[in-house]
Amino acid sequence: MDTLHLLCFIIFLALPLRLTSKQYSGGFNEDYDGPFEVQETDEEDEFDEFLNLPNWESGGRKKDVSNVEAFGAIGDGVSDDTKAFVGAWEKACSKRGNSIFLVPKGKRYLVSANKFKGPCAGQLVIQIDGTIVAPDDPKIWDPDHPRMWLGYYNLSNVFFQGKGAIDGSGSKWWAASCKRNKSNALTIDSSSRVRVRDLTVKNGQQMHFTIAWSETVRVSGVTVLAPGNSPNTDGIHVTSSKNVVLQNCVIGAGWHLALRFIMLIFELKGNQMLFCIMVCVLIFR
């Protein structure tokens, strides 16, 4: 890490927690009395109730669950389960009221690059308890999606949660870091009223988790992991979005990941976007 990068990191540590003149007092964390507040509309108050839904265990029974295995997913990490995921998504997204898109625990589901598009008919919980794994060879990547792997677009009232993992299988991408355009592992784009909780995103091809052109997004308890020698594997990249809160996240990869996080803070402040980071941990390797 050169002098400029070290200076940026020192400035980051010295930044006051008060990033805006507003204070956050919504239902995101009732025990938190710190200096952040997001002005909430009546619709956002209703969304707070949705955000506080209990964690749904994949071993339990619940109607209106779209289980990827019911659509033919194998979960052996080798068979292509993309069609099963698309089928489960179409059912879950089309259902009115509350619906659950379920990735069961204990298995690895190989899924090729795909866009999961809304709008959906009702409130949707995307419950990831197993592991979603990307193809590990850039040569067989879908040419229609060269810069993304799992993309979620035009959604509202959606809750990503679970104890599972999103594994980008990025090692071969890292080896060709300067020779190939790389994919982003998880993308949430053009969406609003989104919560992401407790997931692990690891071994991203490039950026692990991107939030773009979105509004009112809460991210908590998310873990991002990649080896220290993985180049340009940014952790959480937020762009052209507002009212985004990251809380209690652990982000560990190479130094470039931490640098991009620091530069991101200055960029968003300069554009007067509302972006709060609360008790997130950056791990330097």
Side-chain angles (χ1 to χ4, degrees), residues 68 73 81-90 101 103 109 111 116 132:
V68 296
D81 291 325
T82 306
K83 289 184 179 180
F85 272 63
V86 171
W89 175 263
E90 291 175 349
F101 175 93
V103 180
Y109 300 90
V111 178
F116 298 91
I132 305 175

Side-chain angles (χ1 to χ4, degrees), residues 48-242:
D48 281 339
E49 297 180 3
F50 177 63
L51 292 181
N52 290 323
L53 286 174
N55 204 50
W56 187 81
E57 294 295 337
S58 55
R61 289 187 175 183
K62 192 174 180 68
K63 66 176 183 178
D64 303 327
V65 174
S66 297
N67 187 329
V68 296
E69 292 192 348
F71 291 81
I74 304 300
D76 60 5
V78 177
S79 304
D80 188 349
D81 291 325
T82 306
K83 289 184 179 180
F85 272 63
V86 171
W89 175 263
E90 291 175 349
K91 177 186 176 183
C93 188
S94 64
K95 188 183 182 310
R96 296 185 180 276
N98 294 328
S99 183
I100 295 173
F101 175 93
L102 174 63
V103 180
K105 61 185 176 181
K107 294 185 179 181
R108 294 171 58 84
Y109 300 90
L110 178 65
V111 178
S112 297
N114 198 76
K115 291 184 177 181
F116 298 91
K117 298 180 180 179
C120 294
Q123 292 183 330
L124 177 61
V125 174
I126 299 172
Q127 184 76 29
I128 301 175
D129 290 328
T131 298
I132 305 175
V133 60
D136 63 358
D137 191 346
K139 295 179 181 179
I140 63 172
W141 202 259
D142 188 343
D144 292 334
H145 306 294
R147 298 302 303 271
M148 52 129 319
W149 174 34
L150 301 178
Y152 295 86
Y153 293 81
N154 197 22
L155 300 177
S156 182
N157 294 329
V158 61
F159 198 160
F160 295 78
Q161 67 173 11
K163 300 299 184 181
I166 294 172
D167 187 342
S169 303
S171 60
K172 291 184 180 179
W173 298 82
W174 307 332
S177 177
C178 298
K179 302 176 183 178
R180 184 185 299 273
N181 289 331
K182 293 191 291 185
S183 175
N184 300 326
L186 172 63
T187 299
I188 296 175
D189 194 303
S190 304
S191 298
S192 63
R193 294 153 62 92
V194 177
R195 170 99 187 232
V196 184
R197 185 172 71 183
D198 296 338
L199 292 176
T200 295
V201 186
K202 61 183 181 179
N203 302 322
Q205 302 89 351
Q206 188 172 38
M207 297 180 187
H208 281 80
F209 182 10
T210 300
I211 300 169
W213 302 102
S214 296
E215 179 177 359
T216 310
V217 181
R218 305 288 186 266
V219 180
S220 63
V222 167
T223 300
V224 177
L225 295 174
N229 62 352
S230 57
N232 301 315
T233 49
D234 300 17
I236 301 177
H237 185 89
V238 182
T239 181
S240 303
S241 299
K242 62 181 180 179

